Amino acid sequence: MSPPSPSVYIVEDEVLVGMELSERLHALGYRVLGRATGGDEAMGALQRLRPDLVIADIHLGTEPSGIALAEHLRRRDPAVPVVFLSARSDCATLDAARRVAPAGLLVQPWDERALHATLQVALARAAIERQREAAAADRLERELRRAAARHEASLYRMAAGMAQAFSNLLGVALAQIGLARHALDDPARLTRSLTEAEATIATAGRHLEFLRRYAGGGRPSLRRLDLGELCRRAAGDAHALLPAGARLAVVTDSFGPLVVGDPEMLAMAVGELLRNAGEALPEGGGEIELWAQEVTAGEVAALRWWPTDWRAGSGRFAAITVFDTGEGIADSDRPLVFEPFYSTRALGRGLGLAVVVAAARAAGGAVAVQSSPGSGTALRMVLPIDAGGDA
Amino acid sequence: MSPPSPSVYIVEDEVLVGMELSERLHALGYRVLGRATGGDEAMGALQRLRPDLVIADIHLGTEPSGIALAEHLRRRDPAVPVVFLSARSDCATLDAARRVAPAGLLVQPWDERALHATLQVALARAAIERQREAAAADRLERELRRAAARHEASLYRMAAGMAQAFSNLLGVALAQIGLARHALDDPARLTRSLTEAEATIATAGRHLEFLRRYAGGGRPSLRRLDLGELCRRAAGDAHALLPAGARLAVVTDSFGPLVVGDPEMLAMAVGELLRNAGEALPEGGGEIELWAQEVTAGEVAALRWWPTDWRAGSGRFAAITVFDTGEGIADSDRPLVFEPFYSTRALGRGLGLAVVVAAARAAGGAVAVQSSPGSGTALRMVLPIDAGGDA
């Protein structure tokens, strides 16, 4: 064995034993950086010398013991292996040694070959452990960089989406005001153009209101409602949005679940879920299922919800779930689908599933996605069930 | 030593040695799950039995050797420790053993006490390694969750900021159109209201243009310009924005550095940097320095730039740097300062340092922040120097 000779520090209260050990190690090709007869002396020296390995007698004549020394060393630098020497192998000694997880333990009588083998194994394990620590740190750094890049990309996408979508609306409003300017002598046309400009600006305002609610603000008009009924109605309205060949099954009980939410927002959210499912279907059609049902705490606990700080609490939950038999969503895209302006450019569509987040947040709920490429997608909105007596 | 008795599997080609080892382990309190006389037999059994520890003779009579078996095991499950037995401690054997970093190596002759000590140490190390792996995985998960929460908070902040800021502008435009409606019989007032509405919408459009450029889009009007001169002018314009008691020092050479950028965007960016510095100063004033200078590749390499995928390349760089003697920015806030709508609500201000990002991106540059609480802040924009001959 001929790598660069490793450096060793010896802690042994019996001076002659320490000297002999030192000579043997030297003969085996180790560099002995020094020797101490007590733990205190060793602690000072080790800080300075930083050996590759420490050999310590467990039972030093004075405190601290070899065990205490090893504990201290491990707290300071877990990468430095400690090999214990012991004249005893009773349960108490082994137990104490085991608790500080030494790199090796040589019970007397040991010979030079056992010493060498133990040190080599200890050094090899220490090298492996350092590699693993470094690999873990690398992985953390790499993952955090990837997360930062995704974060940045989301901000840019949102800024670009807003700029594109609102510029279009503002351009239309400007053109309508321009038409009004050229109709000063025609009150009817003038008034019509002004009305159109107002309507365009109001549309932009409605989109902004959704952004506000997506962010958890705004003033939703909450009332108690039957989620199953809401889904049946929304599905009726949504049929026109679905591609030819799409089959839609709506699964609800005849009554409930009852939740407290903003009916308009929730209806829009179900519409967006269905439109999204329709767009995911392959050419020529496929299946969409819309479920409104009560779900168990276990089902709620099993998924990763957005907003990420949403906690289910102890109540009961209703879920609206839309399954489609489309392509599925790649792992990397899954967290993005609820972000504004993900995947589409038009304003209404750009806010797409962000509308679902807005509706869920307004009602104290959350959204989740389950999907893998090839196996279709399930988008799910969960809302607290209204257990209250009088509505 | 009396924890739940650990399970062991033995790989030893000499049947009698294996039987004796098995008996000794049993007497020491281990559960012997089984024995194999060859590596192939062991691999199948180990997959099924999953022992806490494997004892393997290095020199098995047939292939695969104990070394190959340990390598195979480590690839499949690095958490299972392997203790080698060997009749030899020559360099070749030790070297081969070391490469697979076993949990222990017992060189014959070894006694029961050495066996027990080695196994206990190996099991304790394995437990520690599992704990460390679990801690590393936990840390990764925790950090990624924190990153996801920051990401989400940024999206909500941006959505809320956009909603707030543009709602105000659209409200003003609607009011102006409303005034026009009520002045149908007064062409002068009507025209004035329409002009004001157009101006308000145009203001919103300019903000959207900045969002577009923040996202890396839009069409900047690039031309060659003297960055020092631009900074001196922008500093002159910015004086009115600074709080009373703020002292501003502008440090530039009399000529250059020359860059290619959009003069209007860059001037706005410098204005934002100075306004930001002014706001960071403590009550009663403080110092602001504005530098325009050429910087070394080393200085560029030393900072974390935004956009995060920006790479300096091999050219020369000019930097605009604004130092302030204010409070400094907390670690956790530092990545956020270049995000739209961070820390302020008004639209112009909300886009604040995002304007700096927009100007830097448009000119092929990037931005960075250096700060720590109590030590002030340096915000830096770096741009490629225009080395070209004719402008």
Side-chain angles (χ1 to χ4, degrees):
Chain A
M1 223 166 225
S2 57
S5 58
S7 61
V8 178
Y9 190 86
I10 298 169
V11 191
E12 168 60 66
D13 59 334
E14 293 187 42
V15 175
L16 288 179
V17 175
M19 282 175 67
E20 198 205 322
L21 185 56
S22 177
E23 276 164 31
R24 287 216 222 171
L25 287 170
H26 187 75
L28 285 166
Y30 296 88
R31 283 182 298 131
V32 177
L33 297 185
R35 275 186 290 127
T37 55
D40 281 334
E41 184 190 348
M43 285 182 192
L46 288 171
Q47 179 103 40
R48 192 163 34 84
L49 295 171
R50 304 197 164 277
D52 295 324
L53 186 143
V54 175
I55 299 181
D57 193 349
I58 289 187
H59 303 281
L60 298 168
T62 55
E63 289 299 315
S65 68
I67 304 276
L69 174 67
E71 255 174 345
H72 172 85
L73 275 179
R74 195 174 64 185
R75 273 196 302 274
R76 210 175 58 196
D77 184 0
V80 175
V82 177
V83 168
F84 282 137
L85 302 179
S86 177
R88 305 207 294 266
S89 70
D90 56 288
C91 286
T93 299
L94 270 185
D95 235 7
R98 215 181 44 145
R99 270 200 296 275
V100 297
L105 170 55
L106 283 164
V107 183
Q108 263 150 9
W110 44 263
D111 63 13
E112 199 168 280
R113 294 166 48 197
L115 172 68
H116 192 35
T118 300
L119 297 192
Q120 289 298 321
V121 164
L123 289 165
R125 297 291 316 168
I128 288 276
E129 281 173 32
R130 275 194 303 271
Q131 277 170 24
R132 282 196 195 154
E133 296 281 325
D138 268 4
R139 180 158 178 232
L140 179 62
E141 172 72 15
R142 217 166 41 238
E143 294 279 351
L144 288 178
R145 273 180 190 274
R146 281 178 51 190
R150 282 195 300 270
H151 181 160
E152 199 181 322
S154 290
L155 293 175
Y156 293 148
R157 184 171 53 241
M158 193 160 163
M162 302 252 202
Q164 171 81 23
F166 283 98
S167 292
N168 290 348
L169 281 175
L170 295 186
V172 170
L174 277 181
Q176 288 158 336
I177 295 175
L179 286 177
R181 254 184 196 285
H182 288 94
L184 293 186
D185 53 357
D186 181 347
R189 274 184 56 203
L190 171 60
T191 304
R192 197 170 62 240
S193 291
L194 291 180
T195 304
E196 286 168 357
E198 285 168 333
T200 304
I201 294 175
T203 299
R206 268 199 306 284
H207 292 307
L208 291 173
E209 182 58 22
F210 266 106
L211 281 177
R212 195 194 313 280
R213 292 191 189 179
Y214 171 75
R219 280 176 299 276
S221 9
L222 300 178
R223 67 177 186 75
R224 195 178 188 193
L225 51 90
D226 181 320
L227 207 58
E229 187 192 346
L230 183 134
C231 281
R232 290 189 293 274
R233 280 199 200 168
D237 296 344
H239 257 109
L241 302 171
L242 299 180
R247 278 178 303 280
L248 170 60
V250 182
V251 184
T252 64
D253 286 334
S254 56
F255 179 75
L258 294 179
V259 301
V260 172
D262 181 319
E264 192 198 348
M265 288 178 78
L266 285 171
M268 275 188 72
V270 176
E272 283 299 331
L273 286 170
L274 292 174
R275 176 148 65 171
N276 178 76
E279 287 178 1
L281 292 185
E283 200 72 40
E287 314 280 338
I288 299 173
E289 289 182 15
L290 167 64
W291 290 68
Q293 59 185 154
E294 187 166 345
V295 289
T296 65
E299 286 176 277
V300 172
L303 292 182
R304 284 225 174 175
W305 298 96
W306 173 285
T308 51
D309 64 352
W310 184 78
R311 293 290 170 269
S314 56
R316 290 158 57 216
F317 288 89
I320 295 173
T321 312
V322 174
F323 301 92
D324 69 66
T325 56
E327 274 289 290
I329 303 170
D331 279 13
S332 55
D333 285 358
R334 230 176 303 133
L336 304 176
V337 298
F338 297 116
E339 293 187 5
F341 302 104
Y342 175 70
S343 90
T344 55
R345 290 204 178 151
L347 182 54
R349 298 296 302 121
L351 287 176
L353 296 179
V355 165
V356 182
V357 177
R361 287 191 89 178
V367 293
V369 55
Q370 285 174 288
S371 180
S372 51
S375 73
T377 301
L379 283 162
R380 183 161 261 201
M381 182 193 328
V382 72
L383 304 173
I385 280 193
D386 179 41
D390 304 346
Chain B
M1 225 166 220
S2 56
S5 60
S7 61
V8 178
Y9 190 87
I10 298 169
V11 191
E12 168 60 64
D13 59 334
E14 293 185 43
V15 175
L16 289 178
V17 174
M19 283 176 67
E20 197 207 321
L21 185 56
S22 177
E23 275 164 32
R24 287 215 223 173
L25 287 170
H26 186 74
L28 285 166
Y30 297 89
R31 284 183 296 131
V32 178
L33 296 186
R35 275 186 290 127
T37 55
D40 281 333
E41 183 190 349
M43 285 183 193
L46 289 170
Q47 178 105 37
R48 191 163 35 84
L49 297 170
R50 304 197 164 275
D52 295 325
L53 186 142
V54 175
I55 300 182
D57 192 348
I58 289 186
H59 302 281
L60 297 169
T62 54
E63 289 299 314
S65 68
I67 303 277
L69 174 67
E71 255 173 347
H72 172 85
L73 276 179
R74 195 173 64 185
R75 272 196 301 273
R76 209 175 57 195
D77 184 359
V80 174
V82 177
V83 169
F84 282 136
L85 302 179
S86 177
R88 307 208 293 266
S89 70
D90 55 288
C91 286
T93 299
L94 270 185
D95 236 6
R98 216 182 44 145
R99 271 199 294 275
V100 295
L105 170 54
L106 283 164
V107 182
Q108 262 151 10
W110 45 263
D111 64 13
E112 198 168 281
R113 295 165 51 200
L115 172 68
H116 192 36
T118 300
L119 297 191
Q120 289 297 322
V121 164
L123 289 165
R125 297 291 316 167
I128 287 276
E129 281 173 31
R130 275 195 301 272
Q131 277 170 25
R132 281 198 196 152
E133 296 282 325
D138 269 4
R139 179 156 180 233
L140 180 61
E141 172 72 14
R142 216 165 44 238
E143 295 279 351
L144 288 178
R145 273 181 190 273
R146 282 177 51 191
R150 282 195 301 267
H151 181 160
E152 198 181 325
S154 289
L155 293 176
Y156 293 149
R157 186 171 53 240
M158 193 159 162
M162 294 284 302
Q164 171 80 23
F166 282 96
S167 292
N168 290 348
L169 281 175
L170 295 186
V172 170
L174 277 181
Q176 287 159 338
I177 295 174
L179 287 175
R181 257 184 194 286
H182 289 93
L184 293 186
D185 53 356
D186 180 349
R189 274 184 56 203
L190 171 61
T191 304
R192 197 169 63 238
S193 291
L194 291 180
T195 303
E196 286 168 357
E198 286 169 332
T200 303
I201 293 175
T203 299
R206 268 199 306 284
H207 293 308
L208 291 173
E209 181 59 22
F210 266 107
L211 280 177
R212 196 194 312 280
R213 293 192 188 177
Y214 170 76
R219 281 176 299 277
S221 6
L222 300 178
R223 66 177 187 74
R224 195 178 188 193
L225 52 88
D226 181 319
L227 206 59
E229 188 191 347
L230 182 134
C231 280
R232 290 189 294 274
R233 279 198 201 170
D237 296 344
H239 256 110
L241 303 171
L242 299 180
R247 277 179 303 280
L248 170 60
V250 182
V251 184
T252 64
D253 286 334
S254 55
F255 179 76
L258 294 180
V259 301
V260 173
D262 181 320
E264 192 199 350
M265 289 179 78
L266 285 171
M268 276 189 70
V270 176
E272 283 300 331
L273 287 170
L274 291 173
R275 177 148 65 170
N276 179 76
E279 288 178 1
L281 292 185
E283 199 73 39
E287 315 278 340
I288 299 172
E289 289 182 16
L290 167 63
W291 290 68
Q293 59 184 155
E294 188 168 344
V295 288
T296 66
E299 286 175 277
V300 172
L303 292 183
R304 284 225 175 175
W305 298 96
W306 173 285
T308 51
D309 64 351
W310 184 78
R311 294 291 171 268
S314 58
R316 291 157 58 215
F317 288 89
I320 295 174
T321 311
V322 174
F323 302 92
D324 70 65
T325 56
E327 275 289 289
I329 304 170
D331 279 13
S332 54
D333 285 357
R334 231 176 301 134
L336 305 176
V337 298
F338 297 117
E339 293 187 5
F341 303 104
Y342 175 70
S343 88
T344 56
R345 287 200 182 153
L347 180 55
R349 297 297 299 120
L351 287 175
L353 296 179
V355 165
V356 182
V357 176
R361 287 190 90 178
V367 293
V369 56
Q370 285 175 287
S371 180
S372 51
S375 73
T377 300
L379 284 162
R380 184 163 260 200
M381 182 194 326
V382 73
L383 303 172
I385 280 193
D386 179 43
D390 303 347

